[in-house]
Coordinates of all heavy atoms in Angstrom, one line a residue:
R1 N 105.8 107.5 109.9 CA 104.3 107.9 109.9 C 103.6 106.7 109.3 O 102.4 106.3 109.7 CB 104.1 109.1 109.3 CG 104.4 110.4 110.1 CD 103.8 111.6 109.7 NE 104.1 111.8 108.3 CZ 105.1 112.8 108.1 NH1 105.9 113.3 109.0 NH2 105.3 113.0 106.7
A2 N 103.9 106.2 108.2 CA 103.2 105.2 107.5 C 103.2 103.9 108.2 O 102.2 103.2 108.3 CB 104.0 104.9 106.1
K3 N 104.3 103.6 108.9 CA 104.4 102.4 109.8 C 103.4 102.6 111.0 O 102.6 101.5 111.3 CB 105.9 102.2 110.4 CG 106.7 101.7 109.2 CD 108.1 101.4 109.8 CE 109.1 100.9 108.8 NZ 110.5 100.9 109.4
R4 N 103.3 103.7 111.6 CA 102.4 104.0 112.6 C 100.9 103.8 112.1 O 100.1 103.2 112.9 CB 102.7 105.4 113.3 CG 103.9 105.5 114.1 CD 103.8 106.7 115.0 NE 103.7 108.0 114.2 CZ 104.9 108.5 113.9 NH1 106.1 108.0 114.2 NH2 104.8 109.7 113.2
T5 N 100.7 104.3 110.9 CA 99.3 104.3 110.4 C 98.8 102.8 110.3 O 97.7 102.4 110.6 CB 99.2 105.0 109.2 OG1 99.6 106.4 109.3 CG2 97.8 105.0 108.4
V6 N 99.7 101.9 109.7 CA 99.3 100.6 109.4 C 99.5 99.6 110.5 O 99.1 98.5 110.4 CB 100.0 100.1 108.1 CG1 99.7 100.9 106.9 CG2 101.5 100.0 108.3
S7 N 100.1 100.1 111.7 CA 100.5 99.2 112.7 C 99.3 98.6 113.4 O 99.3 97.4 113.9 CB 101.3 99.9 113.8 OG 100.6 101.0 114.4
S8 N 98.1 99.2 113.4 CA 97.0 98.6 114.0 C 95.8 98.4 113.1 O 94.7 98.3 113.5 CB 96.5 99.7 115.1 OG 96.2 100.9 114.3
I9 N 96.2 98.2 111.8 CA 95.0 97.8 110.8 C 95.2 96.5 110.2 O 96.3 96.0 110.2 CB 94.8 99.0 109.7 CG1 96.2 99.0 108.9 CG2 94.5 100.3 110.2 CD1 96.2 99.9 107.7
R10 N 94.2 96.0 109.6 CA 94.2 94.7 108.8 C 94.6 95.0 107.6 O 93.9 95.9 106.8 CB 93.0 94.0 109.0 CG 92.7 93.5 110.4 CD 91.2 92.7 110.4 NE 91.2 91.6 109.4 CZ 91.5 90.4 109.7 NH1 92.0 90.1 110.8 NH2 91.4 89.5 108.8
F11 N 95.4 94.1 106.9 CA 95.8 94.3 105.5 C 94.9 93.5 104.6 O 95.3 92.6 104.1 CB 97.3 93.8 105.3 CG 98.3 94.9 105.7 CD1 98.7 94.9 107.0 CD2 98.6 95.9 104.9 CE1 99.7 95.8 107.5 CE2 99.4 97.0 105.2 CZ 100.0 96.9 106.6
D12 N 93.6 94.0 104.6 CA 92.6 93.1 103.8 C 92.1 94.1 102.7 O 91.1 93.7 102.0 CB 91.5 92.6 104.7 CG 90.9 93.7 105.5 OD1 91.3 94.9 105.3 OD2 90.0 93.4 106.3
Q13 N 92.7 95.3 102.5 CA 92.1 96.0 101.4 C 93.4 96.6 100.5 O 94.2 97.5 100.9 CB 91.6 97.3 101.8 CG 90.2 97.2 102.5 CD 89.7 98.5 103.1 OE1 90.1 98.9 104.2 NE2 88.8 99.1 102.3
P14 N 93.7 95.7 99.5 CA 95.0 96.0 98.8 C 94.8 97.4 98.1 O 93.8 97.9 97.7 CB 95.0 94.9 97.7 CG 93.6 94.4 97.6 CD 93.0 94.6 99.0
G15 N 96.1 97.9 97.8 CA 96.1 99.2 97.2 C 95.8 99.2 95.6 O 95.5 98.0 95.2
D16 N 95.9 100.3 95.0 CA 95.6 100.3 93.5 C 96.8 100.2 92.7 O 98.1 100.2 93.1 CB 94.8 101.7 93.2 CG 96.0 102.8 93.4 OD1 97.0 102.7 93.8 OD2 95.4 103.8 93.1
V17 N 96.6 99.8 91.4 CA 97.6 99.5 90.4 C 98.6 100.7 90.3 O 99.9 100.5 90.3 CB 97.0 99.2 89.2 CG1 98.0 99.0 88.1 CG2 96.3 97.9 89.2
A18 N 98.1 101.9 90.3 CA 98.9 103.0 90.1 C 100.1 103.2 91.1 O 101.3 103.5 90.9 CB 98.1 104.3 90.0
T19 N 99.7 102.9 92.4 CA 100.7 103.0 93.4 C 101.8 101.8 93.3 O 102.9 102.0 93.4 CB 100.0 102.9 94.8 OG1 99.1 104.0 95.0 CG2 101.0 103.0 96.0
V20 N 101.3 100.7 93.0 CA 102.1 99.6 92.8 C 103.1 99.8 91.6 O 104.4 99.5 91.7 CB 101.4 98.3 92.6 CG1 102.4 97.1 92.3 CG2 100.7 97.8 93.9
L21 N 102.7 100.3 90.6 CA 103.4 100.6 89.4 C 104.6 101.7 89.8 O 105.6 101.6 89.4 CB 102.6 101.3 88.3 CG 101.8 100.3 87.5 CD1 100.9 101.1 86.4 CD2 102.6 99.2 86.8
R22 N 104.2 102.7 90.7 CA 105.2 103.6 91.0 C 106.3 103.0 91.8 O 107.4 103.4 91.6 CB 104.5 104.8 92.0 CG 105.4 105.9 92.4 CD 106.0 106.7 91.4 NE 105.1 107.2 90.4 CZ 105.5 107.7 89.3 NH1 106.7 107.9 89.0 NH2 104.5 108.2 88.5
V23 N 105.9 102.1 92.7 CA 107.0 101.4 93.5 C 107.8 100.6 92.6 O 109.1 100.6 92.7 CB 106.3 100.5 94.6 CG1 107.4 99.6 95.2 CG2 105.4 101.1 95.5
L24 N 107.2 99.8 91.6 CA 108.0 99.0 90.7 C 109.0 99.9 89.9 O 110.1 99.6 89.6 CB 107.1 98.1 89.8 CG 106.4 97.0 90.5 CD1 105.4 96.5 89.6 CD2 107.4 95.9 90.9
Y25 N 108.6 101.1 89.5 CA 109.3 101.9 88.7 C 110.5 102.4 89.5 O 111.7 102.5 89.0 CB 108.4 103.2 88.3 CG 109.2 104.3 87.6 CD1 109.7 104.2 86.3 CD2 109.4 105.4 88.1 CE1 110.4 105.2 85.6 CE2 109.9 106.6 87.6 CZ 110.4 106.4 86.3 OH 111.1 107.4 85.6
L26 N 110.3 102.8 90.7 CA 111.5 103.2 91.6 C 112.5 102.1 91.9 O 113.6 102.4 92.0 CB 111.0 103.9 92.9 CG 110.2 105.3 92.6 CD1 109.5 105.8 94.0 CD2 111.1 106.3 92.0
V27 N 111.9 100.9 92.2 CA 112.7 99.8 92.4 C 113.6 99.4 91.2 O 114.9 99.3 91.3 CB 111.9 98.5 92.7 CG1 112.8 97.3 92.7 CG2 111.3 98.7 94.2
F28 N 113.0 99.6 90.1 CA 113.8 99.3 88.8 C 114.9 100.4 88.6 O 116.0 100.1 88.2 CB 113.0 99.4 87.6 CG 113.6 99.2 86.3 CD1 114.0 98.0 85.9 CD2 114.0 100.3 85.5 CE1 114.8 97.7 84.7 CE2 114.7 100.2 84.3 CZ 115.1 98.8 83.9

């Protein structure tokens, strides 16, 4: 669903720090 959502949009609005931190935490 996430891929479908972003398949037709421009990536010109970066997300927030909290979401990126969550990703880095899970990757670690």
Side-chain angles (χ1 to χ4, degrees):
R1 286 196 299 268
K3 288 178 178 178
R4 286 197 296 270
T5 298
V6 301
S7 63
S8 60
I9 62 176
R10 290 176 57 84
F11 284 92
D12 54 2
Q13 291 181 279
D16 64 356
V17 171
T19 300
V20 174
L21 285 180
R22 179 63 50 189
V23 177
L24 289 168
Y25 174 66
L26 292 174
V27 169
F28 177 82

